[in-house]
Amino acid sequence: MDHSKWTRHFFEELPSTQDKAFDLARDSPDLIPLVVVTKRQVSGRGRLGNVWVGLNGNFFGSFAVRPDMPLNQAGQFSFLAAVALSDVLEEYLPENCKIEHKWPNDVLLNSKKVAGILIESESDAEGVAKLLVIGVGVNLAEAPDGAISLRDFLPHPPLPEDFLERFLVSLSHQMNKMETEGFSALRADWLFRAKGLGEKIRVRLPHECFEGIFEGLENDGALLIRIEGQKGVRVIRSGEVFFP
């Protein structure tokens, strides 16, 4: 995909770029791929019902595509977006900044969250994802408590509109790469920066919490955990990860 093919929509304020992207994609399917960007997002959301704090000067965007792939593989786009984001962040940041991926949807900078990703999709009766929206929030100018922003390293962080254009180039490149080489190449790129790989991590599920060694990723992006005293590995497709 050529990054120039994206239909761009800019707004001063929105409740949610995700909702707007879905609305535009449903109403005007010929505009896909499309991106919705706003200067201010007042009701942004993250995974598992979490809220994304919309601070001024940061990037809030949602990218609608037609994946035409099994719904259970749509989560691969979270890893694709993380790799694309990391490549762009490297362009701005000094070499001593460590960029990491936290499963399944965060990008960390020096072990603090700098960006979050939200994947939402719609499928047909056969379980094929026909519409997918990649929500991306990046702390360019400000960060909530416990997080980090590019301003912590740059006196003049990029403006959201400038960041968008670089990210569209990177995102389009990674989409082309996944189309030609498959998810395995993207999976390797993500694992190269995976935080906690080969180490003990804590996983929290709706009804249990346990620790184990982060072994890697399944082909669909699921987390592989080896638990002491148990045979084989446990496959986790939805949950939260913490580092002891």
Side-chain angles (χ1 to χ4, degrees):
M1 179 187 297
D2 189 324
H3 74 279
S4 65
K5 301 297 184 182
W6 290 84
T7 305
R8 297 156 172 79
H9 300 268
F10 299 94
F11 298 88
E12 287 293 319
E13 180 176 303
L14 286 174
S16 165
T17 58
Q18 287 287 99
D19 293 341
K20 190 65 175 180
F22 269 113
D23 289 344
L24 289 170
R26 295 184 191 112
D27 293 343
S28 304
D30 56 312
L31 297 180
I32 301 174
L34 64 83
V35 55
V36 172
V37 177
T38 185
K39 291 183 179 179
R40 177 172 167 77
Q41 181 171 246
V42 296
S43 300
R45 61 181 182 272
R47 289 182 68 252
L48 306 176
N50 293 326
V51 174
W52 182 269
V53 180
L55 300 177
N56 291 334
N58 290 343
F59 177 80
F60 315 104
S62 293
F63 304 78
V65 297
R66 293 189 180 282
D68 285 323
M69 65 192 308
L71 184 61
N72 60 8
Q73 297 178 16
Q76 295 175 356
F77 277 84
S78 180
F79 303 94
L80 186 153
V83 172
L85 274 173
S86 296
D87 288 346
V88 175
L89 291 173
E90 273 194 344
E91 298 178 23
Y92 291 107
L93 294 166
E95 291 183 1
N96 63 341
C97 294
K98 185 177 182 181
I99 302 170
E100 297 173 295
H101 300 147
K102 179 186 175 186
W103 186 89
N105 68 325
D106 289 345
V107 176
L108 308 180
L109 184 54
N110 289 1
S111 296
K112 293 184 178 181
K113 184 172 179 177
V114 69
I117 299 158
L118 176 65
I119 303 296
E120 295 180 309
S121 60
E122 294 181 349
S123 60
D124 61 17
E126 284 71 44
V128 176
K130 292 296 185 181
L131 174 61
L132 183 141
V133 176
I134 310 164
V136 175
V138 185
N139 298 329
L140 299 178
E142 304 289 343
D145 291 342
I148 202 166
S149 75
L150 268 63
R151 190 184 291 277
D152 291 306
F153 303 91
L154 304 172
H156 304 291
L159 296 174
E161 53 267 33
D162 296 330
F163 187 88
L164 169 65
E165 294 307 315
R166 293 203 190 189
F167 181 61
L168 281 176
V169 172
S170 184
L171 183 65
S172 301
H173 170 71
Q174 294 299 336
M175 289 176 65
N176 292 336
K177 185 174 181 178
M178 188 165 74
E179 184 176 353
T180 57
E181 301 180 34
F183 180 64
S184 59
L186 186 69
R187 175 177 168 272
D189 288 343
W190 188 93
L191 285 170
F192 179 74
R193 288 199 177 100
K195 183 172 177 62
L197 183 63
E199 302 174 2
K200 181 180 288 187
I201 63 173
R202 183 178 298 113
V203 179
R204 185 167 68 191
L205 306 179
H207 303 294
E208 65 173 314
C209 187
F210 62 91
E211 291 185 348
I213 303 299
F214 177 14
E215 292 275 306
L217 296 179
E218 186 62 273
N219 289 333
D220 62 356
L223 188 70
L224 299 178
I225 300 291
R226 185 172 300 279
I227 302 174
E228 186 176 357
Q230 296 183 11
K231 293 183 178 180
V233 294
R234 185 165 179 182
V235 180
I236 306 298
R237 290 188 165 81
S238 180
E240 293 184 272
V241 165
F242 303 90
F243 305 101

